[in-house]
Amino acid sequence: MPDQKSIAHNFDLAKLPSDYVANPYPYFATLRQHAPVHRMPDGSYFLTRYDDLVSVYRNPKVWSSDKKIEFKPAMGDSALYEHHTTSLVFRDPPDHTRLRKLFQAAFTPRAIANLEPRIEKLVDGYLDKAEDNGQLDLVEDFAFMLPVEVVCDMLGAPSSERNSIRDWSQAILGGLEPVLTDGAREKGSEAVDHFKSFLRDLIRQRRANPTSGESGEVLSALIEAEEDGEKLTELELLHQCIFLLNAGHETTTNMLANGIHELLTNEEQLSKLHQNPALVESCIEEVLRFDSPIQLNNRRALEDTELGPVKIPAGSKVHLSIGGGNRDPERFDEPDRFDIERTNNKHLAFGAGVHICAGNTLARVEGRIAYSKLFSRFPGLHLSGPVVRSPRIRFKGFSNLPGSIR
Ligand code: HEM
């Protein structure tokens, strides 16, 4: 058995042990203790301390989100490269500031309040179906369904296309895994091309019929910005739409599924929620902290800098381990305990600083409505078969959670 120190010093994202996907947290604890700013064989750094993550997130002048240098060698001039280097999440100020302002309009409290009745109706519909069948796959028939419908509504994308959107999205986000294979690059690029032509049609229809109801409000706002000419180019418009469709669904699916799994395997916490449904809000925060849907963000040092005693040369890439920061005992009492009553839970599941998740309020609203209705309507809900985890490293979630309601 290798000792803890050598596990920490040999940790390499490109060669992960087989038990990492299901439970990476013991590795993060070992790294935090023995090598919190760990240099990996490719020269990049893996950070697991809460305070280090916050200081990187909060200093975009030193820590860039721009990925052109990093993605070029693996992605070449592909459509996948075009997408990931145009979307706002991978841009720095001032371009990021300009694009972020345009997004802000989509996430006002009024815009989110407008979505609430729709979210309630969607959730009721999935639960009606489950009631008829007596069972459901809690991912396929629930956690996946809701976020994709909501984000498609924001852009006014028709229901008939939602399965294609899911597949494109998975292929594009798959292109962000630590190791990019040729197959994954090609699949990702094809998906970007399909997505662009789908959106061009959608935008054409929207222009021809600009007042076609509440659905698609966000697309209309982005189109207006593009027509203004100075705020958004056509290519930027397309890639922000693709990004929104991607950012808003797999993440939220994972949040819903991770929490459902945790509650259904932790009787004590589930019964607390049954006894006091008002705990749903702190429960969502705890799910986000305890099993974060996005596990990694990245930044590149624009100048020589340091993190604690470690000197980081300009040009270095850092991996921000959100799962590591969110289990840091310096920041959270008993971090490995899932406690839906936890207070002062300032987790990093949505990042921090200028790029903090623009959809965090929406995700929380979806979580509150989904959990409240699911657990109150089906108090006997339980897992009824083997669960299947998604094999991703950057995104943590499940592909299947078979459930029975009786
Ligand atoms: C539980 C669900 C979600 C999680 C865990 C999550 C997580 C994150 C994280 C960690 C970032 C920061 C990336 C970075 O700093 O490099 C981010 C950015 C972003 N997210 Fe989310 N997200 C979720 C849901 C959503 C939803 C529902 C939407 C929209 C419909 C959304 C839209 C965005 C956007 C637009 C950005 C880019 C912000 C920027 O670069 O300024 N997210 N998200």
Side-chain angles (χ1 to χ4, degrees), residues 57-77:
Y57 276 129
R58 294 218 180 271
N59 197 350
K61 283 199 177 125
V62 173
W63 296 104
S64 166
S65 286
D66 188 295
K67 300 286 184 286
K68 291 188 197 77
I69 296 176
E70 179 189 337
F71 287 166
K72 191 79 187 184
M75 295 184 188
D77 280 325

Side-chain angles (χ1 to χ4, degrees), residues 143-152 162-170 173 195 242-256 293 362 366 395:
F144 160 67
M145 300 292 279
L146 178 66
V148 77
E149 288 285 341
V150 171
V151 84
C152 284
R162 291 175 188 193
N163 278 338
S164 308
I165 288 175
R166 179 197 198 179
D167 294 344
W168 296 333
S169 231
Q170 284 190 338
L173 294 178
F195 226 142
I242 295 178
F243 179 71
L244 194 68
L245 283 161
N246 292 344
H249 84 254
E250 188 167 345
T251 48
T252 313
T253 296
N254 289 350
M255 172 187 73
L256 295 175
L362 175 60
E366 289 183 57
F395 296 87

Side-chain angles (χ1 to χ4, degrees), residues 60-181:
K61 283 199 177 125
V62 173
W63 296 104
S64 166
S65 286
D66 188 295
K67 300 286 184 286
K68 291 188 197 77
I69 296 176
E70 179 189 337
F71 287 166
K72 191 79 187 184
M75 295 184 188
D77 280 325
S78 64
L80 194 62
Y81 176 80
E82 180 188 278
H83 172 65
H84 285 309
T85 53
T86 310
S87 67
L88 87 162
V89 75
F90 296 146
R91 308 277 286 270
D92 288 332
D95 279 340
H96 170 261
T97 320
R98 170 176 57 91
L99 295 170
R100 176 83 188 208
K101 260 195 215 136
L102 303 175
F103 268 79
Q104 232 62 315
F107 296 100
T108 58
R110 190 192 61 85
I112 291 171
N114 279 346
L115 287 169
E116 280 203 36
R118 170 78 176 142
I119 297 173
E120 302 214 354
K121 203 166 151 215
L122 285 166
V123 171
D124 286 338
Y126 309 138
L127 300 185
D128 288 346
K129 235 189 229 165
E131 177 130 36
D132 291 346
N133 296 336
Q135 58 187 33
L136 76 167
D137 188 297
L138 289 149
V139 178
E140 285 290 325
D141 306 324
F142 191 68
F144 160 67
M145 300 292 279
L146 178 66
V148 77
E149 288 285 341
V150 171
V151 84
C152 284
D153 275 1
M154 294 175 85
L155 288 177
S159 289
S160 53
E161 294 298 329
R162 291 175 188 193
N163 278 338
S164 308
I165 288 175
R166 179 197 198 179
D167 294 344
W168 296 333
S169 231
Q170 284 190 338
I172 294 169
L173 294 178
L176 296 177
E177 284 294 278
V179 178
L180 179 68
T181 61

Side-chain angles (χ1 to χ4, degrees), residues 289-340:
R289 180 195 72 85
F290 188 79
D291 209 11
S292 305
I294 294 188
Q295 288 278 321
L296 290 174
N297 280 160
N298 294 99
R299 297 292 189 267
R300 181 173 292 277
L302 292 173
E303 54 190 61
D304 288 347
T305 182
E306 39 200 58
L307 285 167
V310 181
K311 296 207 180 314
I312 313 271
S316 302
K317 172 180 171 177
V318 297
H319 305 266
L320 307 176
S321 165
I322 295 176
N326 282 343
R327 298 281 189 111
D328 186 343
E330 294 282 317
R331 185 66 188 74
F332 301 99
D333 291 336
E334 294 187 77
D336 295 324
R337 200 162 75 84
F338 179 69
D339 174 7
I340 68 168

